[in-house]
Amino acid sequence: MRIVLGVSGGVAAYKAVLLLRLLREQGHRVRVVPTASALRFVGAPTWEALSGEPATDQVFEDVEHVPHVALGQGADLVVVAPATADLLARAASGRADDLLTSTLLTARCPVVMAPAMHTEMWEHAATQANVATLRARGVHVIEPASGRLTGADTGPGRLPEPEEIARVALAVAQDSGDAGGVPGVAAPRRDLAGRRVVVSAGGTREPIDPVRFIGNRSSGRQGVELARSARARGAHVTLVAANLAPDVAALVRDAGLEDVVAVETTAQLREAVRAAATSADVVVMAAAVADFRPAHAPGAKIKKVPGRGPEPITLVENPDVLAELAHDRLRADQVVVGFAAETGDADGSVLDHGRAKARRKGADLLVVNAVGEGRGFGVDANDVTVVDGSGELVATAGGTKREVADAVWDVVARVAADRADAGAVPAE
Ligand SMILES: Cc1cc2nc3c(=O)[nH]c(=O)nc-3n(C[C@H](O)[C@H](O)[C@H](O)COP(=O)(O)O)c2cc1C
């Protein structure tokens, strides 16, 4: 892949040297385009020696090749790291006063920016407005990390580690289908092109009172990876997101998913999923949905009264969102996929429970995963077994949650295609 690495003038420019090495080691051609300020932090010889290409901020050099236009036009990916407050402002207002901002105006490939600055600069309304403008134009702005800044102070504004920037940037390029021919980066399949899918992710919260709730440990990562994978394969994705963990919510923003509905309770999730499902080819219920909720949630906080123990909380059953979707089939030929987080017990193994659940729920496919003891919730690795509606084993998959998501879509896309073929009226 042909990558332009833009570097603007912050202390974290030294980390871009490591990012450059990483990208080069993965076989990419990288042209570094520093700003004048960046060159005061790290000089051109470092960029040129490590990239094997010239590094200048000037538009009036090498003019016969028109670099202020050619670099952006020829790039498969532009990564700006670090992106200063000043660079974000110039990019958002469409300035073209150096080689990097000119390149940003001519690039038609994915653009990823990793801001780094002091917390006050990052949180300033002007910077936040610039970031919002850039995101609205399709730029993938990575949330800065929190931690030690240039001096002794700490807070949000730190440049994420080079490995993380490389991972996000290459994933963005891959998701957009522009990574063809890159060593080590498979071109995404487009087997969901034109399909509408709904994915629920996260865990619902059932209020006990205005400040307390009954929740669960789901971070939402597996559901979000399913949504990102579906989008990369060409689907229009509605993500119904219930209380995502902060790093997973950042992943959603970086992925540029357009249709995200935030919900909190099972009732809200049910309503959002059913509304989107009326026009969906596939519904994947990956969210951990509470089976029960407190029967009454008073409008005021429950007080602790000295000497009197707590009132018992009476629970009532929530609607079974997956079983309802499987029963109602809100659209003809819809494929309904459930997730079951199980633990084995004296009554049977994880798979035994998953198979019984598949038969009970009536979904087309059930993805069964074992949770607890470092698996499933909150970690990036998952092992799953996919069974059909009668409990028959269809596939197994393991690896990162993205790899599991890809493997699940391999199965679901096949079922959806078979169903569409079966429903098609043959031409005369
Ligand atoms: C020591 C030092 C560190 C700086 N660090 C940052 C930084 O991390 N982020 C930032 O937005 N600006 C930082 N600045 C300010 C920028 O260098 C300044 O706004 C400059 O105009 C940015 O130019 P550029 O965006 O064209 O690279 C720093 C300045 C100095 C002197």
Side-chain angles (χ1 to χ4, degrees):
M1 189 159 32
R2 187 85 180 84
I3 300 176
V4 168
L5 173 58
V7 183
S8 51
V11 168
Y14 77 91
K15 284 194 185 173
V17 177
L18 305 174
L19 177 60
L20 167 60
R21 288 195 68 148
L22 269 176
L23 295 172
R24 294 281 294 140
E25 278 164 11
Q26 291 185 28
H28 303 291
R29 287 177 62 197
V30 186
R31 166 80 187 240
V32 180
V33 183
T35 63
S37 303
L39 288 171
R40 298 183 68 163
F41 288 94
V42 180
T46 302
W47 304 122
E48 291 176 347
L50 290 175
S51 69
E53 306 208 17
T56 176
D57 63 307
Q58 295 291 317
V59 286
F60 292 104
E61 284 177 15
D62 196 21
V63 175
E64 65 279 19
H65 293 117
V66 208
H68 74 287
V69 176
L71 286 178
Q73 285 177 338
D76 301 306
L77 170 68
V78 177
V79 187
V80 184
T84 56
D86 176 66
L87 187 278
L88 294 172
R90 289 191 290 135
S93 60
R95 298 289 301 270
D97 52 359
D98 64 6
L99 190 54
L100 179 53
T101 45
S102 305
T103 299
L104 288 168
L105 282 185
T106 51
R108 293 294 174 269
C109 59
V111 176
V112 176
M113 293 189 181
M117 64 201 72
H118 269 79
T119 306
E120 292 83 351
M121 292 176 92
W122 171 247
E123 289 179 346
H124 194 282
T127 304
Q128 289 302 309
N130 292 330
V131 168
T133 300
L134 291 166
R135 282 187 173 143
R137 290 188 196 136
V139 174
H140 295 265
V141 181
I142 301 177
E143 283 294 301
S146 257
R148 180 88 188 268
L149 302 170
T150 309
D153 41 354
T154 61
R158 195 179 143 88
L159 189 73
E161 293 309 309
E163 292 78 9
E164 175 64 7
I165 300 172
R167 189 187 67 73
V168 172
L170 295 174
V172 166
Q174 188 182 3
D175 279 4
S176 74
D178 288 340
V182 180
V185 180
R189 295 182 195 178
R190 305 289 292 173
D191 52 359
L192 294 173
R195 300 218 183 272
R196 298 182 77 88
V197 312
V198 182
V199 179
S200 72
T204 58
R205 291 177 178 175
E206 304 299 329
I208 296 172
D209 67 14
V211 294
R212 305 180 180 96
F213 59 84
I214 297 175
N216 60 65
R217 293 182 190 280
S218 175
S219 67
R221 181 173 289 275
Q222 185 63 75
V224 168
E225 292 295 9
L226 282 155
R228 293 178 67 214
S229 172
R231 184 173 183 269
R233 295 164 90 130
H236 175 281
V237 180
T238 300
L239 175 68
V240 177
N243 312 299
L244 303 180
D247 60 329
V248 178
L251 196 64
V252 172
R253 284 194 293 275
D254 292 341
L257 291 167
E258 304 85 8
D259 196 2
V260 181
V261 187
V263 297
E264 190 166 337
T265 63
T266 300
Q268 292 165 355
L269 179 136
R270 175 175 179 270
E271 198 182 317
V273 168
R274 289 179 71 85
T278 53
S279 59
D281 300 288
V282 181
V283 184
V284 180
M285 284 289 295
V289 177
D291 291 329
F292 308 105
R293 69 178 185 281
H296 306 288
K301 186 183 167 194
I302 300 170
K303 304 282 184 302
K304 186 166 108 181
V305 181
R308 208 172 76 201
E311 289 290 325
I313 297 171
T314 307
L315 299 177
V316 292
E317 204 164 319
N318 271 330
D320 187 328
V321 185
L322 175 62
E324 279 182 353
L325 286 166
H327 177 266
D328 296 351
R329 302 285 160 169
L330 294 169
R331 197 189 129 158
D333 299 336
Q334 187 170 76
V335 181
V336 177
V337 184
F339 265 70
E342 292 290 349
T343 53
D345 59 20
D347 293 332
S349 67
V350 167
L351 191 54
D352 292 337
H353 288 300
R355 287 187 149 135
K357 194 178 254 184
R359 290 189 281 267
R360 227 170 37 238
K361 299 273 185 180
D364 299 295
L365 295 164
L366 193 75
V367 183
V368 186
N369 64 327
V371 291
E373 291 161 18
R375 289 182 298 180
F377 286 140
V379 292
D380 191 41
N382 211 359
D383 282 305
V384 301
T385 304
V386 185
V387 295
D388 67 15
S390 57
E392 287 302 311
L393 192 138
V394 180
T396 57
T400 63
K401 287 184 173 170
R402 177 56 186 255
E403 286 163 347
V404 167
D406 291 340
V408 168
W409 282 117
D410 287 346
V411 177
V412 177
R414 226 173 27 239
V415 172
D418 288 351
R419 195 159 288 184
D421 287 349
V425 180
E428 290 290 316

